[in-house]
Amino acid sequence: MTETGETLDPLTIAERWAGEGRDVAVATVVETWGSAPRPVGSHLVIDGEGNFHGSVSGGCVEGAVVSEATDIIADGKPRMLEFGVADETAWEVGLSCGGRIRVYVERLG
């Protein structure tokens, strides 16, 4: 939120950060199955220092996306990430709500 109470779009933040000379990656929800906390088209932007704005899921998934994004900023290679419930990992980095999501992460610029 800004001082005026408006919520800034993550892509607006990405543009601002890039304009400030920061290295930036954008994560986008590209597909969902079953119950997913965020819809297709949701964004999370991450800078090279690990700062982020927006949301692609929440909880552990967000942390995993931020971690992958810092690697993507470093090597410039985009990645498709998939998260969901697996019996042995349901409460680790997954979606305990029973859904699955695919998130595309790419470096800007």
Side-chain angles (χ1 to χ4, degrees), residues 30-77:
V30 295
E31 198 168 6
T32 65
W33 299 268
S35 178
R38 302 286 295 146
V40 169
S42 296
H43 294 101
L44 176 69
V45 297
I46 307 95
D47 74 5
E49 301 295 316
N51 298 301
F52 60 93
H53 180 84
S55 178
V56 291
S57 178
C60 296
V61 168
E62 220 101 274
V65 172
V66 169
S67 178
E68 286 285 333
T70 57
D71 292 343
I72 291 163
I73 287 170
D75 68 23
K77 297 176 185 172

Side-chain angles (χ1 to χ4, degrees), residues 23-25 68-79 104-109:
D23 293 324
V24 179
E68 286 285 333
T70 57
D71 292 343
I72 291 163
I73 287 170
D75 68 23
K77 297 176 185 172
R79 294 182 183 89
Y104 183 72
V105 186
E106 62 187 326
R107 180 182 173 152
L108 291 184

